[in-house]
Amino acid sequence: MLDPAQENPYPDTHVLGEGPEPHPQLKPVLELLGRWRGEGRGEYPTLEEGFRYRQEIVFSHDGRPFLRYESRAWLVDAAGSALRPSGRESGWWRVLPDASLEVVLAHPTGIVETYTGRVTDDGVELATDHVAGTPRAKEVTGMRRRYRLVEGSLTIRQEMAAMGLDYHHHLAAELSRLTD
């Protein structure tokens, strides 16, 4: 039986210099490590109107060649007050020796996405390779994501193909790094 007082010998960290040394393959994405929070706007042709949201993302690692990724968002009103929880996803970004990426994300709405992509001088580009859903999940057939670090901010743009439609702009956010 495990001793509940025993610490995890392999903790995740999102702060460089704390916890395990990052795997050398993480070098192209090390700037993403951290806790990020900011605001965004969303829309899609099947929605009556657009929406505002806040989002928090954490990129962490445990010394192996992948990042742990967690994102949660909540809808806000025009004054910025929280209305209700919104999108949530978690998964893994695996960085390969050639700076290509394989990403797997799961959503509590019954959708699982696998992405392939690449780290470039301009950021990270990802596109779904496969999308799977539970029997009652909303129909999503594809996603494309762009992550950019611009003057200390993390900008994220997403396009979605869903509900019988081709790709359309869906989400745009700008997040700032939080200090712990």
Side-chain angles (χ1 to χ4, degrees):
M1 179 148 209
L2 291 176
D3 177 1
Q6 188 178 22
E7 286 189 42
N8 177 351
Y10 305 104
D12 283 355
T13 183
H14 61 274
V15 179
L16 278 177
E18 291 182 12
E21 193 68 29
H23 191 282
Q25 282 175 218
L26 291 181
K27 186 176 180 182
V29 294
L30 276 181
E31 289 186 72
L32 292 174
L33 277 181
R35 183 179 305 274
W36 301 84
R37 187 179 299 153
E39 292 201 13
R41 292 191 177 275
E43 61 186 16
Y44 201 69
T46 59
L47 300 174
E48 283 185 34
E49 59 184 39
F51 55 92
R52 291 182 53 198
Y53 65 97
R54 287 215 176 100
Q55 182 175 21
E56 183 173 297
I57 293 176
V58 179
F59 287 98
S60 60
H61 76 94
D62 67 0
R64 293 180 286 172
F66 48 80
L67 296 178
R68 180 176 173 214
Y69 169 88
E70 290 185 76
S71 173
R72 55 189 322 166
W74 53 98
L75 296 179
V76 297
D77 63 19
S81 297
L83 296 172
R84 64 178 173 83
S86 187
R88 192 159 185 185
E89 57 192 19
S90 63
W92 305 96
W93 290 36
R94 185 164 60 157
V95 183
L96 302 173
D98 65 355
S100 64
L101 296 170
E102 294 178 341
V103 175
V104 61
L105 298 179
H107 304 257
T109 56
I111 297 170
V112 177
E113 304 160 330
T114 62
Y115 289 82
T116 57
R118 182 156 220 58
V119 180
T120 69
D121 292 339
D122 197 29
V124 174
E125 304 275 343
L126 299 171
T128 49
D129 187 47
H130 297 290
V131 179
T134 59
R136 295 189 182 166
K138 178 173 76 170
E139 180 211 4
V140 175
T141 55
M143 295 286 282
R144 293 191 286 230
R145 298 174 181 231
R146 248 182 264 150
Y147 296 80
R148 303 267 190 276
L149 287 168
V150 179
E151 298 178 13
S153 293
L154 176 60
T155 62
I156 304 164
R157 303 287 181 265
Q158 286 184 239
E159 296 177 328
M160 179 170 68
M163 312 297 284
L165 299 175
D166 200 3
Y167 282 98
H168 287 275
H169 169 73
H170 181 46
L171 302 172
E174 185 172 331
L175 288 62
S176 298
R177 187 186 307 271
L178 300 177
T179 56
D180 290 328

